Amino acid sequence: MNGLSQDALIYDVIRTPRGKARVDGGLYDLSPLELLASLYRALVDRNNFDPALIGDVILGNVTQYGEQAGNLAKSSTLYAGWPSTVAGMTLTRFCSSGLDAISVAAMKVMVGQEDVTIGGGIEMMSRVPMMSDEATIFRDPATATAAKILLMGSGADLIATMQGASRISLDGIALQSQQRAAAARAAQRFVSLIPIYNAHKKVWVTDDECIRPDTTLDSLAQLPASFAGLGAMGADALQLAHYPQLSVINHEHTAGNSPAMADGAALTLIGNRAFGEQLGKAPKAIIKAMVNASDEPFMVLGGCVAATKKLLRRTGLRIEDVDLFEIHEAFAATIIKLQQELNIPTDKLNVNGGVIALGHPLGATGAMMMGTLVDEMTRRKVKRGIVATSGAAGLGCALLIERL
């Protein structure tokens, strides 16, 4: 470690398709180790580097239980046959984990601790369901109350209530996400997507499976509210006690305007300039700034908004200085809140759809969003982009990148 500041350069970003988090999903038969091994091979094939050059692999993963326990970042590289000299660390910052993993991997390059790192994430929700680790904060009401920890749907409905968001406005966000994602898939804009071979079924998984191109406002309107039951079990009472200006929590989120559960993984190859010179390869982008933030925990999902604001404030940038924003659709109300507070033009925001349509494989989502942003910045030949994610308990992360 030389203590000198170095540029953290993005040389490649790849991801799997998002598979439906069901037994009949395209990725279901693959263990997390098998899925990551496929991505590691693809990363080497696309960039022609010796894996021994990698100093550290940082992966985000939320439910570190069963097949996803045991430090996937380290165990997966060994499983894939990479040299034992490659270190690995698995982290969780709830649904912000994948983007935080990129942030940590970039910092290691910036301070000169490593020349080359990989940051990314994985979540196989079909095989390791959300909350199967039985965390006390989500199971014990007394602990949850003391820690101000609520489930994501309750936070989404609170944000919708506080922002005065109607059901039709939330469904409008979902419809736009579906339409944009379907158009992007049809136009093959997801250059970072790597087809995955499912050897168990002897099939290739080539496309994101969660997109519903036949979605309409009428079909969305038919769906029942999903989280009124959580509210009746005590979440509403806690939120109303904390926000006495509210008389009721409006339960407007449904399966249609909430993120789709998915399987998937993503990797970002980060290195200094010497690494690129050694490879004879130009970087795609440079990571210019990174922040973490935390919003009010009873809102659960406001972290991506808080982090975006903090990043803009810290860098001195205005909305008009940024060409594209890739912001976590952590339920439709989060985008309503973002737009009411920052007024980002819709032609700059989630232009290829968001996780409501594409799917939300928890620990991988932020890393996948980075790939979507880099893909579109490259396609449009624009300079600056911001990617931001939300995690539970109000957590958030945001990164500013510039295309090279």
Side-chain angles (χ1 to χ4, degrees):
M1 182 171 175
N2 59 26
L4 298 177
S5 176
Q6 299 190 88
D7 291 332
L9 303 168
I10 295 174
Y11 285 93
D12 203 4
V13 189
I14 63 171
R15 69 171 179 92
T16 70
R18 289 168 168 95
K20 291 180 180 179
R22 304 188 317 213
V23 173
D24 61 348
L27 301 178
Y28 167 77
D29 308 275
L30 301 172
S31 73
L33 294 174
E34 290 175 310
L35 188 62
L36 285 168
S38 293
L39 272 194
Y40 291 139
R41 286 193 295 270
L43 193 66
V44 170
D45 289 345
R46 276 171 52 122
N47 296 281
N48 192 29
F49 66 91
D50 182 352
L53 294 173
I54 304 297
D56 210 348
V57 175
I58 316 295
L59 294 183
N61 179 251
V62 175
T63 310
Q64 296 183 32
Y65 173 78
E67 289 184 337
Q68 292 183 164
N71 189 5
L72 275 176
K74 177 59 179 176
S75 57
S76 63
T77 58
L78 292 172
Y79 180 87
W82 278 21
S84 59
T85 54
V86 180
M89 177 174 70
T90 308
L91 61 80
T92 181
R93 205 188 289 267
F94 297 123
C95 297
S96 194
S97 300
L99 194 58
D100 269 285
I102 294 174
S103 181
V104 172
M107 284 189 283
K108 286 177 172 286
V109 172
M110 287 175 174
V111 301
Q113 181 180 349
E114 303 292 349
D115 295 328
V116 194
T117 59
I118 290 172
I122 181 168
E123 204 81 33
M124 293 295 291
M125 298 182 73
S126 63
R127 298 174 68 102
V128 187
M130 183 170 58
M131 296 191 295
S132 58
D133 55 350
E134 301 187 346
T136 301
I137 56 168
F138 293 121
R139 289 177 55 84
D140 178 59
T143 302
T145 300
K148 298 183 179 180
I149 295 287
L150 295 178
L151 291 172
M152 286 64 75
S154 294
D157 281 343
L158 173 61
I159 291 173
T161 302
M162 295 184 71
Q163 303 300 135
S166 65
R167 169 66 181 271
I168 194 168
S169 68
L170 299 173
D171 286 349
I173 295 292
L175 179 62
Q176 179 176 266
S177 184
Q178 294 288 352
Q179 291 174 337
R180 288 182 168 186
R185 180 175 64 181
Q188 298 184 326
R189 293 182 196 154
F190 300 126
V191 178
S192 55
L193 189 153
I194 301 296
I196 297 295
Y197 184 64
N198 182 339
H200 302 274
K201 289 180 177 174
K202 296 181 171 56
V203 297
W204 283 93
V205 184
T206 59
D207 290 310
D208 294 310
E209 297 178 340
C210 298
I211 303 170
R212 299 185 299 276
D214 57 347
T215 300
T216 65
L217 281 177
D218 286 341
S219 67
L220 289 168
Q222 303 306 311
L223 298 172
S226 297
F227 307 111
L230 283 177
M233 291 171 61
D236 283 5
L238 285 173
Q239 291 170 326
L240 292 172
H242 193 73
Y243 295 99
Q245 72 271 29
L246 301 178
S247 59
V248 66
I249 304 296
N250 300 318
H251 296 288
E252 305 287 5
H253 283 89
T254 70
N257 55 37
S258 303
M261 292 186 289
D263 295 334
L267 302 174
T268 302
L269 180 64
I270 302 169
N272 56 22
R273 293 194 181 276
F275 174 66
E277 291 168 1
Q278 181 176 350
L279 259 62
K281 183 179 179 69
K284 294 177 180 291
I286 180 172
I287 298 174
K288 297 294 290 185
M290 307 169 289
V291 300
N292 286 106
S294 194
D295 202 0
E296 163 58 46
F298 279 144
M299 284 195 287
V300 187
L301 302 165
C304 65
V305 181
T308 301
K309 288 180 175 180
K310 184 176 178 180
L311 185 61
L312 290 168
R313 187 169 61 250
R314 180 157 292 183
T315 58
L317 294 173
R318 301 164 299 171
I319 296 298
E320 52 265 38
D321 297 323
V322 181
D323 299 294
L324 288 171
F325 291 83
E326 194 70 25
I327 310 295
H328 193 180
E329 285 179 351
F331 298 78
T334 308
I335 299 301
I336 298 286
K337 176 179 171 66
L338 177 81
Q339 289 295 67
Q340 288 184 2
E341 297 183 12
L342 285 174
N343 196 29
I344 300 170
T346 57
D347 61 358
K348 288 186 175 186
L349 176 62
N350 295 351
V351 295
N352 289 319
V355 300
I356 289 175
L358 289 162
H360 180 27
L362 306 185
T365 292
M368 288 184 159
M369 289 169 61
M370 176 63 84
T372 301
L373 180 60
V374 171
D375 287 347
E376 190 63 16
M377 288 177 66
T378 301
R379 189 178 78 87
R380 295 190 181 201
K381 297 181 172 60
V382 296
K383 182 178 181 181
R384 291 193 186 98
I386 286 178
V387 53
T389 50
S390 289
L395 292 168
C397 179
L399 274 70
L400 170 69
I401 66 170
E402 291 186 1
R403 187 177 67 88
L404 297 176

PDB file of all heavy atoms in Angstrom, residues 78-112:
ATOM      1  N   LEU A  78     -12.503 -19.860  -5.232  1.00  0.00           N
ATOM      2  CA  LEU A  78     -11.854 -21.169  -5.105  1.00  0.00           C
ATOM      3  C   LEU A  78     -12.631 -22.223  -5.894  1.00  0.00           C
ATOM      4  O   LEU A  78     -12.043 -23.066  -6.590  1.00  0.00           O
ATOM      5  CB  LEU A  78     -11.764 -21.562  -3.634  1.00  0.00           C
ATOM      6  CG  LEU A  78     -10.815 -20.717  -2.775  1.00  0.00           C
ATOM      7  CD1 LEU A  78     -10.965 -21.075  -1.294  1.00  0.00           C
ATOM      8  CD2 LEU A  78      -9.361 -20.901  -3.223  1.00  0.00           C
ATOM      9  N   TYR A  79     -13.959 -22.187  -5.784  1.00  0.00           N
ATOM     10  CA  TYR A  79     -14.805 -23.133  -6.515  1.00  0.00           C
ATOM     11  C   TYR A  79     -14.589 -23.003  -8.022  1.00  0.00           C
ATOM     12  O   TYR A  79     -14.598 -24.001  -8.753  1.00  0.00           O
ATOM     13  CB  TYR A  79     -16.268 -22.871  -6.162  1.00  0.00           C
ATOM     14  CG  TYR A  79     -17.258 -23.781  -6.848  1.00  0.00           C
ATOM     15  CD1 TYR A  79     -17.596 -25.019  -6.295  1.00  0.00           C
ATOM     16  CD2 TYR A  79     -17.866 -23.405  -8.043  1.00  0.00           C
ATOM     17  CE1 TYR A  79     -18.506 -25.857  -6.926  1.00  0.00           C
ATOM     18  CE2 TYR A  79     -18.774 -24.242  -8.681  1.00  0.00           C
ATOM     19  CZ  TYR A  79     -19.085 -25.460  -8.113  1.00  0.00           C
ATOM     20  OH  TYR A  79     -19.984 -26.295  -8.746  1.00  0.00           O
ATOM     21  N   ALA A  80     -14.373 -21.764  -8.475  1.00  0.00           N
ATOM     22  CA  ALA A  80     -14.171 -21.509  -9.906  1.00  0.00           C
ATOM     23  C   ALA A  80     -12.763 -21.839 -10.369  1.00  0.00           C
ATOM     24  O   ALA A  80     -12.460 -21.735 -11.562  1.00  0.00           O
ATOM     25  CB  ALA A  80     -14.488 -20.046 -10.216  1.00  0.00           C
ATOM     26  N   GLY A  81     -11.876 -22.242  -9.447  1.00  0.00           N
ATOM     27  CA  GLY A  81     -10.519 -22.609  -9.824  1.00  0.00           C
ATOM     28  C   GLY A  81      -9.556 -21.451  -9.898  1.00  0.00           C
ATOM     29  O   GLY A  81      -8.449 -21.592 -10.430  1.00  0.00           O
ATOM     30  N   TRP A  82      -9.928 -20.291  -9.356  1.00  0.00           N
ATOM     31  CA  TRP A  82      -9.016 -19.156  -9.341  1.00  0.00           C
ATOM     32  C   TRP A  82      -7.917 -19.376  -8.306  1.00  0.00           C
ATOM     33  O   TRP A  82      -8.086 -20.145  -7.360  1.00  0.00           O
ATOM     34  CB  TRP A  82      -9.788 -17.878  -9.047  1.00  0.00           C
ATOM     35  CG  TRP A  82     -10.460 -17.308 -10.267  1.00  0.00           C
ATOM     36  CD1 TRP A  82     -10.773 -17.972 -11.418  1.00  0.00           C
ATOM     37  CD2 TRP A  82     -10.905 -15.961 -10.447  1.00  0.00           C
ATOM     38  NE1 TRP A  82     -11.386 -17.135 -12.312  1.00  0.00           N
ATOM     39  CE2 TRP A  82     -11.480 -15.886 -11.752  1.00  0.00           C
ATOM     40  CE3 TRP A  82     -10.882 -14.828  -9.657  1.00  0.00           C
ATOM     41  CZ2 TRP A  82     -12.023 -14.698 -12.257  1.00  0.00           C
ATOM     42  CZ3 TRP A  82     -11.417 -13.650 -10.161  1.00  0.00           C
ATOM     43  CH2 TRP A  82     -11.978 -13.592 -11.454  1.00  0.00           C
ATOM     44  N   PRO A  83      -6.794 -18.698  -8.459  1.00  0.00           N
ATOM     45  CA  PRO A  83      -5.683 -18.904  -7.521  1.00  0.00           C
ATOM     46  C   PRO A  83      -6.088 -18.592  -6.075  1.00  0.00           C
ATOM     47  O   PRO A  83      -6.916 -17.709  -5.820  1.00  0.00           O
ATOM     48  CB  PRO A  83      -4.625 -17.911  -8.010  1.00  0.00           C
ATOM     49  CG  PRO A  83      -4.975 -17.636  -9.433  1.00  0.00           C
ATOM     50  CD  PRO A  83      -6.458 -17.732  -9.520  1.00  0.00           C
ATOM     51  N   SER A  84      -5.476 -19.304  -5.154  1.00  0.00           N
ATOM     52  CA  SER A  84      -5.779 -19.095  -3.741  1.00  0.00           C
ATOM     53  C   SER A  84      -5.306 -17.731  -3.245  1.00  0.00           C
ATOM     54  O   SER A  84      -5.689 -17.288  -2.166  1.00  0.00           O
ATOM     55  CB  SER A  84      -5.130 -20.193  -2.897  1.00  0.00           C
ATOM     56  OG  SER A  84      -3.720 -20.203  -3.089  1.00  0.00           O
ATOM     57  N   THR A  85      -4.486 -17.057  -4.028  1.00  0.00           N
ATOM     58  CA  THR A  85      -3.988 -15.729  -3.647  1.00  0.00           C
ATOM     59  C   THR A  85      -5.067 -14.652  -3.738  1.00  0.00           C
ATOM     60  O   THR A  85      -4.896 -13.546  -3.204  1.00  0.00           O
ATOM     61  CB  THR A  85      -2.827 -15.313  -4.555  1.00  0.00           C
ATOM     62  OG1 THR A  85      -3.246 -15.416  -5.927  1.00  0.00           O
ATOM     63  CG2 THR A  85      -1.616 -16.207  -4.324  1.00  0.00           C
ATOM     64  N   VAL A  86      -6.182 -14.945  -4.426  1.00  0.00           N
ATOM     65  CA  VAL A  86      -7.269 -13.967  -4.560  1.00  0.00           C
ATOM     66  C   VAL A  86      -8.062 -13.936  -3.256  1.00  0.00           C
ATOM     67  O   VAL A  86      -8.622 -14.949  -2.836  1.00  0.00           O
ATOM     68  CB  VAL A  86      -8.200 -14.332  -5.727  1.00  0.00           C
ATOM     69  CG1 VAL A  86      -9.335 -13.306  -5.843  1.00  0.00           C
ATOM     70  CG2 VAL A  86      -7.417 -14.408  -7.034  1.00  0.00           C
ATOM     71  N   ALA A  87      -8.090 -12.775  -2.610  1.00  0.00           N
ATOM     72  CA  ALA A  87      -8.844 -12.633  -1.359  1.00  0.00           C
ATOM     73  C   ALA A  87     -10.327 -12.419  -1.671  1.00  0.00           C
ATOM     74  O   ALA A  87     -10.711 -12.188  -2.816  1.00  0.00           O
ATOM     75  CB  ALA A  87      -8.295 -11.466  -0.542  1.00  0.00           C
ATOM     76  N   GLY A  88     -11.156 -12.493  -0.641  1.00  0.00           N
ATOM     77  CA  GLY A  88     -12.589 -12.309  -0.863  1.00  0.00           C
ATOM     78  C   GLY A  88     -13.310 -11.895   0.400  1.00  0.00           C
ATOM     79  O   GLY A  88     -12.971 -12.346   1.494  1.00  0.00           O
ATOM     80  N   MET A  89     -14.309 -11.028   0.240  1.00  0.00           N
ATOM     81  CA  MET A  89     -15.113 -10.568   1.371  1.00  0.00           C
ATOM     82  C   MET A  89     -16.563 -10.407   0.915  1.00  0.00           C
ATOM     83  O   MET A  89     -16.831  -9.812  -0.131  1.00  0.00           O
ATOM     84  CB  MET A  89     -14.596  -9.226   1.906  1.00  0.00           C
ATOM     85  CG  MET A  89     -15.443  -8.652   3.034  1.00  0.00           C
ATOM     86  SD  MET A  89     -14.723  -7.163   3.762  1.00  0.00           S
ATOM     87  CE  MET A  89     -14.924  -5.976   2.442  1.00  0.00           C
ATOM     88  N   THR A  90     -17.486 -10.930   1.697  1.00  0.00           N
ATOM     89  CA  THR A  90     -18.909 -10.794   1.420  1.00  0.00           C
ATOM     90  C   THR A  90     -19.511  -9.825   2.430  1.00  0.00           C
ATOM     91  O   THR A  90     -19.260  -9.945   3.640  1.00  0.00           O
ATOM     92  CB  THR A  90     -19.621 -12.150   1.506  1.00  0.00           C
ATOM     93  OG1 THR A  90     -18.927 -13.089   0.671  1.00  0.00           O
ATOM     94  CG2 THR A  90     -21.060 -12.052   1.058  1.00  0.00           C
ATOM     95  N   LEU A  91     -20.286  -8.868   1.939  1.00  0.00           N
ATOM     96  CA  LEU A  91     -20.832  -7.850   2.836  1.00  0.00           C
ATOM     97  C   LEU A  91     -22.338  -7.731   2.640  1.00  0.00           C
ATOM     98  O   LEU A  91     -22.886  -8.135   1.619  1.00  0.00           O
ATOM     99  CB  LEU A  91     -20.157  -6.487   2.611  1.00  0.00           C
ATOM    100  CG  LEU A  91     -20.248  -5.805   1.246  1.00  0.00           C
ATOM    101  CD1 LEU A  91     -21.587  -5.101   1.059  1.00  0.00           C
ATOM    102  CD2 LEU A  91     -19.119  -4.799   1.088  1.00  0.00           C
ATOM    103  N   THR A  92     -22.995  -7.174   3.654  1.00  0.00           N
ATOM    104  CA  THR A  92     -24.405  -6.858   3.523  1.00  0.00           C
ATOM    105  C   THR A  92     -24.670  -5.440   3.993  1.00  0.00           C
ATOM    106  O   THR A  92     -24.173  -5.025   5.035  1.00  0.00           O
ATOM    107  CB  THR A  92     -25.305  -7.843   4.297  1.00  0.00           C
ATOM    108  OG1 THR A  92     -26.677  -7.460   4.086  1.00  0.00           O
ATOM    109  CG2 THR A  92     -25.009  -7.846   5.782  1.00  0.00           C
ATOM    110  N   ARG A  93     -25.368  -4.689   3.150  1.00  0.00           N
ATOM    111  CA  ARG A  93     -25.995  -3.452   3.563  1.00  0.00           C
ATOM    112  C   ARG A  93     -27.429  -3.509   3.030  1.00  0.00           C
ATOM    113  O   ARG A  93     -27.917  -2.614   2.367  1.00  0.00           O
ATOM    114  CB  ARG A  93     -25.235  -2.222   3.035  1.00  0.00           C
ATOM    115  CG  ARG A  93     -25.488  -0.988   3.911  1.00  0.00           C
ATOM    116  CD  ARG A  93     -24.921   0.269   3.310  1.00  0.00           C
ATOM    117  NE  ARG A  93     -23.484   0.370   3.326  1.00  0.00           N
ATOM    118  CZ  ARG A  93     -22.773   0.966   4.300  1.00  0.00           C
ATOM    119  NH1 ARG A  93     -23.386   1.447   5.367  1.00  0.00           N
ATOM    120  NH2 ARG A  93     -21.467   1.066   4.215  1.00  0.00           N
ATOM    121  N   PHE A  94     -28.057  -4.646   3.337  1.00  0.00           N
ATOM    122  CA  PHE A  94     -29.395  -4.941   2.840  1.00  0.00           C
ATOM    123  C   PHE A  94     -29.402  -4.808   1.310  1.00  0.00           C
ATOM    124  O   PHE A  94     -28.463  -5.228   0.654  1.00  0.00           O
ATOM    125  CB  PHE A  94     -30.450  -4.061   3.523  1.00  0.00           C
ATOM    126  CG  PHE A  94     -30.563  -4.296   5.014  1.00  0.00           C
ATOM    127  CD1 PHE A  94     -30.398  -3.258   5.916  1.00  0.00           C
ATOM    128  CD2 PHE A  94     -30.845  -5.554   5.523  1.00  0.00           C
ATOM    129  CE1 PHE A  94     -30.503  -3.457   7.282  1.00  0.00           C
ATOM    130  CE2 PHE A  94     -30.957  -5.779   6.894  1.00  0.00           C
ATOM    131  CZ  PHE A  94     -30.784  -4.714   7.769  1.00  0.00           C
ATOM    132  N   CYS A  95     -30.432  -4.217   0.732  1.00  0.00           N
ATOM    133  CA  CYS A  95     -30.561  -4.203  -0.730  1.00  0.00           C
ATOM    134  C   CYS A  95     -29.589  -3.260  -1.421  1.00  0.00           C
ATOM    135  O   CYS A  95     -29.561  -3.202  -2.650  1.00  0.00           O
ATOM    136  CB  CYS A  95     -31.994  -3.843  -1.116  1.00  0.00           C
ATOM    137  SG  CYS A  95     -33.208  -5.048  -0.555  1.00  0.00           S
ATOM    138  N   SER A  96     -28.793  -2.550  -0.658  1.00  0.00           N
ATOM    139  CA  SER A  96     -27.753  -1.703  -1.229  1.00  0.00           C
ATOM    140  C   SER A  96     -26.417  -2.444  -1.339  1.00  0.00           C
ATOM    141  O   SER A  96     -25.423  -1.866  -1.768  1.00  0.00           O
ATOM    142  CB  SER A  96     -27.578  -0.447  -0.365  1.00  0.00           C
ATOM    143  OG  SER A  96     -26.843   0.538  -1.018  1.00  0.00           O
ATOM    144  N   SER A  97     -26.403  -3.709  -0.994  1.00  0.00           N
ATOM    145  CA  SER A  97     -25.148  -4.454  -0.850  1.00  0.00           C
ATOM    146  C   SER A  97     -24.296  -4.491  -2.105  1.00  0.00           C
ATOM    147  O   SER A  97     -23.070  -4.331  -2.051  1.00  0.00           O
ATOM    148  CB  SER A  97     -25.448  -5.890  -0.399  1.00  0.00           C
ATOM    149  OG  SER A  97     -26.111  -5.909   0.841  1.00  0.00           O
ATOM    150  N   GLY A  98     -24.903  -4.729  -3.266  1.00  0.00           N
ATOM    151  CA  GLY A  98     -24.122  -4.853  -4.494  1.00  0.00           C
ATOM    152  C   GLY A  98     -23.408  -3.576  -4.875  1.00  0.00           C
ATOM    153  O   GLY A  98     -22.264  -3.607  -5.338  1.00  0.00           O
ATOM    154  N   LEU A  99     -24.066  -2.428  -4.668  1.00  0.00           N
ATOM    155  CA  LEU A  99     -23.424  -1.155  -4.985  1.00  0.00           C
ATOM    156  C   LEU A  99     -22.364  -0.815  -3.948  1.00  0.00           C
ATOM    157  O   LEU A  99     -21.307  -0.278  -4.277  1.00  0.00           O
ATOM    158  CB  LEU A  99     -24.466  -0.041  -5.073  1.00  0.00           C
ATOM    159  CG  LEU A  99     -23.997   1.261  -5.727  1.00  0.00           C
ATOM    160  CD1 LEU A  99     -23.494   1.026  -7.146  1.00  0.00           C
ATOM    161  CD2 LEU A  99     -25.115   2.298  -5.725  1.00  0.00           C
ATOM    162  N   ASP A 100     -22.619  -1.140  -2.694  1.00  0.00           N
ATOM    163  CA  ASP A 100     -21.614  -0.922  -1.657  1.00  0.00           C
ATOM    164  C   ASP A 100     -20.380  -1.781  -1.888  1.00  0.00           C
ATOM    165  O   ASP A 100     -19.256  -1.364  -1.591  1.00  0.00           O
ATOM    166  CB  ASP A 100     -22.200  -1.212  -0.276  1.00  0.00           C
ATOM    167  CG  ASP A 100     -22.795   0.036   0.357  1.00  0.00           C
ATOM    168  OD1 ASP A 100     -22.022   0.884   0.824  1.00  0.00           O
ATOM    169  OD2 ASP A 100     -24.032   0.164   0.374  1.00  0.00           O
ATOM    170  N   ALA A 101     -20.574  -2.985  -2.416  1.00  0.00           N
ATOM    171  CA  ALA A 101     -19.427  -3.845  -2.716  1.00  0.00           C
ATOM    172  C   ALA A 101     -18.541  -3.189  -3.771  1.00  0.00           C
ATOM    173  O   ALA A 101     -17.301  -3.232  -3.673  1.00  0.00           O
ATOM    174  CB  ALA A 101     -19.908  -5.210  -3.201  1.00  0.00           C
ATOM    175  N   ILE A 102     -19.149  -2.561  -4.778  1.00  0.00           N
ATOM    176  CA  ILE A 102     -18.364  -1.835  -5.781  1.00  0.00           C
ATOM    177  C   ILE A 102     -17.630  -0.674  -5.126  1.00  0.00           C
ATOM    178  O   ILE A 102     -16.454  -0.407  -5.427  1.00  0.00           O
ATOM    179  CB  ILE A 102     -19.281  -1.340  -6.913  1.00  0.00           C
ATOM    180  CG1 ILE A 102     -19.845  -2.533  -7.688  1.00  0.00           C
ATOM    181  CG2 ILE A 102     -18.531  -0.398  -7.852  1.00  0.00           C
ATOM    182  CD1 ILE A 102     -20.880  -2.158  -8.726  1.00  0.00           C
ATOM    183  N   SER A 103     -18.297   0.017  -4.229  1.00  0.00           N
ATOM    184  CA  SER A 103     -17.683   1.146  -3.534  1.00  0.00           C
ATOM    185  C   SER A 103     -16.453   0.708  -2.741  1.00  0.00           C
ATOM    186  O   SER A 103     -15.387   1.335  -2.812  1.00  0.00           O
ATOM    187  CB  SER A 103     -18.713   1.805  -2.606  1.00  0.00           C
ATOM    188  OG  SER A 103     -18.174   2.915  -1.934  1.00  0.00           O
ATOM    189  N   VAL A 104     -16.576  -0.382  -2.002  1.00  0.00           N
ATOM    190  CA  VAL A 104     -15.442  -0.887  -1.215  1.00  0.00           C
ATOM    191  C   VAL A 104     -14.314  -1.348  -2.135  1.00  0.00           C
ATOM    192  O   VAL A 104     -13.135  -1.065  -1.894  1.00  0.00           O
ATOM    193  CB  VAL A 104     -15.896  -2.034  -0.284  1.00  0.00           C
ATOM    194  CG1 VAL A 104     -14.695  -2.694   0.390  1.00  0.00           C
ATOM    195  CG2 VAL A 104     -16.863  -1.516   0.778  1.00  0.00           C
ATOM    196  N   ALA A 105     -14.668  -2.051  -3.205  1.00  0.00           N
ATOM    197  CA  ALA A 105     -13.649  -2.519  -4.155  1.00  0.00           C
ATOM    198  C   ALA A 105     -12.912  -1.337  -4.780  1.00  0.00           C
ATOM    199  O   ALA A 105     -11.690  -1.374  -4.975  1.00  0.00           O
ATOM    200  CB  ALA A 105     -14.303  -3.382  -5.234  1.00  0.00           C
ATOM    201  N   ALA A 106     -13.648  -0.263  -5.089  1.00  0.00           N
ATOM    202  CA  ALA A 106     -13.024   0.929  -5.676  1.00  0.00           C
ATOM    203  C   ALA A 106     -12.095   1.612  -4.678  1.00  0.00           C
ATOM    204  O   ALA A 106     -11.004   2.073  -5.046  1.00  0.00           O
ATOM    205  CB  ALA A 106     -14.113   1.897  -6.137  1.00  0.00           C
ATOM    206  N   MET A 107     -12.517   1.689  -3.426  1.00  0.00           N
ATOM    207  CA  MET A 107     -11.677   2.338  -2.403  1.00  0.00           C
ATOM    208  C   MET A 107     -10.342   1.625  -2.246  1.00  0.00           C
ATOM    209  O   MET A 107      -9.306   2.259  -2.036  1.00  0.00           O
ATOM    210  CB  MET A 107     -12.420   2.415  -1.070  1.00  0.00           C
ATOM    211  CG  MET A 107     -13.483   3.502  -1.032  1.00  0.00           C
ATOM    212  SD  MET A 107     -14.170   3.757   0.624  1.00  0.00           S
ATOM    213  CE  MET A 107     -15.279   2.355   0.747  1.00  0.00           C
ATOM    214  N   LYS A 108     -10.351   0.303  -2.351  1.00  0.00           N
ATOM    215  CA  LYS A 108      -9.100  -0.449  -2.226  1.00  0.00           C
ATOM    216  C   LYS A 108      -8.117  -0.077  -3.331  1.00  0.00           C
ATOM    217  O   LYS A 108      -6.908  -0.020  -3.117  1.00  0.00           O
ATOM    218  CB  LYS A 108      -9.394  -1.954  -2.244  1.00  0.00           C
ATOM    219  CG  LYS A 108     -10.011  -2.478  -0.953  1.00  0.00           C
ATOM    220  CD  LYS A 108     -10.343  -3.953  -1.057  1.00  0.00           C
ATOM    221  CE  LYS A 108     -10.778  -4.510   0.285  1.00  0.00           C
ATOM    222  NZ  LYS A 108      -9.647  -4.683   1.210  1.00  0.00           N
ATOM    223  N   VAL A 109      -8.643   0.193  -4.527  1.00  0.00           N
ATOM    224  CA  VAL A 109      -7.778   0.635  -5.624  1.00  0.00           C
ATOM    225  C   VAL A 109      -7.357   2.082  -5.407  1.00  0.00           C
ATOM    226  O   VAL A 109      -6.188   2.443  -5.602  1.00  0.00           O
ATOM    227  CB  VAL A 109      -8.505   0.464  -6.973  1.00  0.00           C
ATOM    228  CG1 VAL A 109      -7.693   1.098  -8.106  1.00  0.00           C
ATOM    229  CG2 VAL A 109      -8.748  -1.011  -7.257  1.00  0.00           C
ATOM    230  N   MET A 110      -8.277   2.926  -4.972  1.00  0.00           N
ATOM    231  CA  MET A 110      -7.979   4.347  -4.794  1.00  0.00           C
ATOM    232  C   MET A 110      -6.834   4.600  -3.814  1.00  0.00           C
ATOM    233  O   MET A 110      -6.000   5.468  -4.020  1.00  0.00           O
ATOM    234  CB  MET A 110      -9.235   5.092  -4.322  1.00  0.00           C
ATOM    235  CG  MET A 110     -10.289   5.267  -5.393  1.00  0.00           C
ATOM    236  SD  MET A 110     -11.782   6.032  -4.706  1.00  0.00           S
ATOM    237  CE  MET A 110     -12.748   6.290  -6.197  1.00  0.00           C
ATOM    238  N   VAL A 111      -6.815   3.837  -2.736  1.00  0.00           N
ATOM    239  CA  VAL A 111      -5.775   4.062  -1.727  1.00  0.00           C
ATOM    240  C   VAL A 111      -4.510   3.271  -2.011  1.00  0.00           C
ATOM    241  O   VAL A 111      -3.535   3.347  -1.261  1.00  0.00           O
ATOM    242  CB  VAL A 111      -6.287   3.737  -0.302  1.00  0.00           C
ATOM    243  CG1 VAL A 111      -7.481   4.594   0.045  1.00  0.00           C
ATOM    244  CG2 VAL A 111      -6.604   2.254  -0.142  1.00  0.00           C
ATOM    245  N   GLY A 112      -4.516   2.480  -3.089  1.00  0.00           N
ATOM    246  CA  GLY A 112      -3.323   1.727  -3.442  1.00  0.00           C
ATOM    247  C   GLY A 112      -3.167   0.417  -2.709  1.00  0.00           C
ATOM    248  O   GLY A 112      -2.120  -0.223  -2.807  1.00  0.00           O
TER     249      GLY A 112
END
